[in-house]
Amino acid sequence: MLPGYNTNGFAHHKIEDALQIIAEFGYRSIAFTLDYNTLEPFAANAITRARELGKMAQDLQLNLVIETGARFLLDPRRKHQPTLLSKQTSDRKKRADFLLRCAELGLAMGSNTLSFWSGKPDFEAADDSYWELLIEQCVLISRQVENSGMKIAFEPEPGMFIDTMGKFEQLHKAISHSKFGLTLDIGHLECMNEMPLLPHLEKWGSLLWNIHLEDMKLGVHDHLLPGEGSIDFAKVFEGLTKIKYEGGVHWELSRHSHDAVETARKCRQFMQKQGC
């Protein structure tokens, strides 16, 4: 496995400084959240910037996964909106176009993995309607990237329409596309009472393309430093070793950006004590 960190945990840093600091701590992978302070997807110079940042990451020997969870990038007034479940066709298209643009920029950076989630619907309807919209959009995106070097890793997220591994399994069966895999957030499993971890790792290991990591407590979606929640990290790293997971394991601690350097240092030291 590759010890990693999400750039959303360095929200107040210049992105070049963040990459340098993360590499200095011995991290080997970056979950790169496209946002105003990192790489604005629709800026006129976005492709050029993507190549520059990708070259820097390569020089620092950092693997890259592209993250799409910026809070207010598409709508300055509504967090994480619009989504693939928005009522208006134009809004769903805005989210899908954003994801495809992120895939394009990721390829320019040298990445081969794009991570995303369902989001929440912005209108009341039967669940069948939400499923229909989400499946339609995920199939579309999967087909759009199928001839590229990019694969897409879907993340179940508490509070969103797809929030459990059971729902992810249902979605995965409906999509049935070789480019459609999994981002597994280990804290989310704890939050949603879906532990132990190992059965999920053994079931989805071949489609597990990205991992998020933080401590968490049962029923509370709050990303915590290791030791502040109820996760047994010895079992986490034991399980990842057992399935021979080779991808990035990225700490996701965006609300710790005010203390980004010390937080990243502590998390790296914690992993090293675990033998990672």
Side-chain angles (χ1 to χ4, degrees), residues 42-76:
F42 296 105
N45 67 338
I47 290 290
T48 299
R49 280 288 287 158
R51 290 172 178 154
E52 292 172 352
L53 292 170
K55 176 62 164 55
M56 182 177 182
Q58 182 181 13
D59 291 344
L60 293 169
Q61 299 183 312
L62 291 168
N63 173 69
L64 284 172
V65 171
I66 303 303
E67 297 283 350
T68 59
R71 291 179 172 95
F72 293 100
L73 186 63
L74 299 185
D75 188 326

Side-chain angles (χ1 to χ4, degrees), residues 98-116:
F98 165 68
L99 294 175
L100 292 171
R101 177 60 167 171
C102 290
E104 179 184 17
L105 292 170
L107 289 169
M109 295 178 77
S111 174
N112 66 2
T113 305
L114 179 82
S115 180
F116 74 113

Side-chain angles (χ1 to χ4, degrees), residues 2 10 31 52 88 104 114 119 152 176 202 206 209 236 253 275:
L2 302 175
F10 277 78
E52 292 172 352
Q88 298 299 322
E104 179 184 17
L114 179 82
I152 55 178
S176 188
E202 292 177 334
S206 63
W209 297 332
V236 168
L253 295 162

Side-chain angles (χ1 to χ4, degrees), residues 6-273:
N6 195 319
T7 61
N8 66 9
F10 277 78
H12 310 304
H13 277 72
K14 182 180 176 182
I15 186 57
E16 289 87 349
D17 292 338
L19 295 181
Q20 185 69 50
I21 292 166
I22 290 168
E24 286 174 0
F25 287 150
Y27 289 103
R28 297 175 56 205
S29 190
I30 289 287
F32 193 102
T33 299
L34 277 72
D35 207 340
Y36 291 112
N37 70 318
T38 57
L39 173 59
E40 190 174 348
F42 296 105
N45 67 338
I47 290 290
T48 299
R49 280 288 287 158
R51 290 172 178 154
E52 292 172 352
L53 292 170
K55 176 62 164 55
M56 182 177 182
Q58 182 181 13
D59 291 344
L60 293 169
Q61 299 183 312
L62 291 168
N63 173 69
L64 284 172
V65 171
I66 303 303
E67 297 283 350
T68 59
R71 291 179 172 95
F72 293 100
L73 186 63
L74 299 185
D75 188 326
R77 293 173 177 82
R78 299 183 301 158
K79 179 183 176 182
H80 290 154
Q81 292 288 338
T83 75
L84 299 176
L85 293 167
S86 293
K87 183 176 183 178
Q88 298 299 322
T89 302
S90 58
D91 281 344
R92 296 195 299 276
K93 185 176 186 301
K94 187 174 185 178
R95 174 61 65 171
D97 287 348
F98 165 68
L99 294 175
L100 292 171
R101 177 60 167 171
C102 290
E104 179 184 17
L105 292 170
L107 289 169
M109 295 178 77
S111 174
N112 66 2
T113 305
L114 179 82
S115 180
F116 74 113
W117 32 242
S118 68
K120 295 190 292 187
D122 61 0
F123 68 106
E124 294 292 332
D127 279 1
D128 286 351
S129 298
Y130 301 146
W131 278 108
E132 182 178 347
L133 290 177
L134 184 59
I135 291 167
E136 175 186 66
Q137 294 298 312
C138 288
V139 168
L140 171 67
I141 294 164
S142 299
R143 289 175 177 170
Q144 288 289 322
V145 303
E146 65 186 0
N147 294 320
S148 74
M150 186 63 70
K151 53 191 177 183
I152 55 178
F154 188 96
E155 178 189 6
E157 175 92 14
M160 296 190 177
F161 182 62
I162 303 298
D163 55 359
T164 65
M165 292 302 296
K167 288 184 179 179
F168 170 76
E169 182 174 9
Q170 185 176 345
L171 179 65
H172 183 264
K173 287 180 179 178
I175 305 304
S176 188
H177 196 286
S178 62
K179 291 282 189 172
F180 191 84
L182 174 65
T183 288
L184 185 63
D185 189 306
I186 292 169
H188 293 172
L189 296 178
E190 184 75 7
C191 176
M192 301 300 291
N193 197 23
E194 294 190 289
M195 289 295 202
L197 173 63
L198 187 58
H200 300 295
L201 295 178
E202 292 177 334
K203 182 172 185 175
W204 298 103
S206 63
L207 294 171
L208 183 54
W209 297 332
N210 182 29
I211 288 180
H212 294 171
L213 190 64
E214 65 281 318
D215 211 344
M216 204 168 287
K217 298 177 182 179
L218 178 65
V220 183
H221 187 200
D222 189 7
H223 291 227
L224 304 171
L225 286 168
E228 295 181 353
S230 49
I231 293 178
D232 185 339
F233 283 97
K235 290 184 178 179
V236 168
F237 295 119
E238 180 182 313
L240 292 172
T241 299
K242 183 174 182 179
I243 68 163
K244 299 180 181 179
Y245 176 72
E246 297 180 349
V249 180
H250 306 102
W251 293 97
E252 189 177 32
L253 295 162
S254 62
R255 294 179 184 177
H256 292 72
S257 288
H258 67 283
D259 194 24
V261 177
E262 286 307 307
T263 298
R265 188 197 314 274
K266 290 174 183 176
C267 289
R268 185 68 192 105
Q269 290 172 343
F270 179 80
M271 293 187 87
Q272 289 170 331
K273 289 178 181 178

